[in-house]
């Protein structure tokens, strides 16, 4: 009997170890994405004026297509394609808190609504955003909240038929929370919305989800004045 119990325990331990090793290899939150860049940033003299832009592929594409905007202003782009707020929250310490920024600019939830990692729950997505705000404040980091961009749908998940309604509802909730808590809120959505009132204007996007350089220029004109009110 003892041998059977010992064997079962050994099998369980082996399976658990294999599962943990697999999870580590998968790096669900993609901690590795900015690990080296974060080390390099922290090795430089700290000015106390750092601004971190946290987001998904919209933020990643911004830093990729308009690097001069980030380099000229001393901004750090920490966007990872495909990620949801659940993943943002997991890597928040590595990619925000540990960098000791003056300001966080948060753009989120496109991939939550597209259900990239979880079935969409507005309450949970909103809760993740609130948690990030609270973590930032607890660490002396100021925050600017921004609207989720327009999208009529998602090519990679066509089963989502009501994206505009979900985006509008979440944006209204974020805006109200920002006003209640005296947090600056920047509305990209209204300036990028197409004439149909549902989609990302084709003047600013090739795929209906991600801005082109022209779209990012619109966003820059909106966010930079808000940033400069906090970080001179």
């Amino acid at each position: 009997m003892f041998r059977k119990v010992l064997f079962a325990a050994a099998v369980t331990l082996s399976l658990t170890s294999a599962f943990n090793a697999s999870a580590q290899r998968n790096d669900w939150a993609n901690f590795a994405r900015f690990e080296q860049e974060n080390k390099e940033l922290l090795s430089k003299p700290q000015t106390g004026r750092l601004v971190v832009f946290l987001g998904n592929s919209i933020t990643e594409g911004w830093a990729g297509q308009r690097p001069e905007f980030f380099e000229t202003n001393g901004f750090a782009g920490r966007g990872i394609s495909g990620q949801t707020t659940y993943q943002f929250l997991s890597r928040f310490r590595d990619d925000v808190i540990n960098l000791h920024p003056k300001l966080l600019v948060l753009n989120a939830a496109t991939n939550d609504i597209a259900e990239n990692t979880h079935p969409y729950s507005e309450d949970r997505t909103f809760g993740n955003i609130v948690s990030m705000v609270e973590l930032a404040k607890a660490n002396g980091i100021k925050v600017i909240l921004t609207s989720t961009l327009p999208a009529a749908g998602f090519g990679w998940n066509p089963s989502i038929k009501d994206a505009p309604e979900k985006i509008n509802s979440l944006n209204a909730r974020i805006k109200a929370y920002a006003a209640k808590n005296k947090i600056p809120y920047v509305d990209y959505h209204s300036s990028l919305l197409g004439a149909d009132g549902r989609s990302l204007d084709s003047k600013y996007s090739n795929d209906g989800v991600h801005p082109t350089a022209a779209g990012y220029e619109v966003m820059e004109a909106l966010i930079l004045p808000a940033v400069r009110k906090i970080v001179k």
Side-chain angles (χ1 to χ4, degrees), residues 27-40:
D27 189 8
W28 178 76
N30 205 346
F31 294 111
R33 171 65 179 83
F34 292 109
E35 185 175 11
Q36 186 57 40
E37 290 178 42
N38 289 344
K39 288 178 181 177
E40 292 172 1

Side-chain angles (χ1 to χ4, degrees), residues 8-22:
V11 169
T12 300
L13 179 60
S14 177
L15 290 173
T16 301
S17 298
F19 177 80
N20 288 341
S22 176

Side-chain angles (χ1 to χ4, degrees), residues 48-69:
R49 300 178 65 251
L50 179 65
V51 180
V52 170
F53 283 64
L54 184 69
N56 48 46
S57 58
I58 291 166
T59 300
E60 185 175 25
W62 195 348
Q65 290 192 54
R66 300 277 297 168
E68 64 278 9
F69 175 70

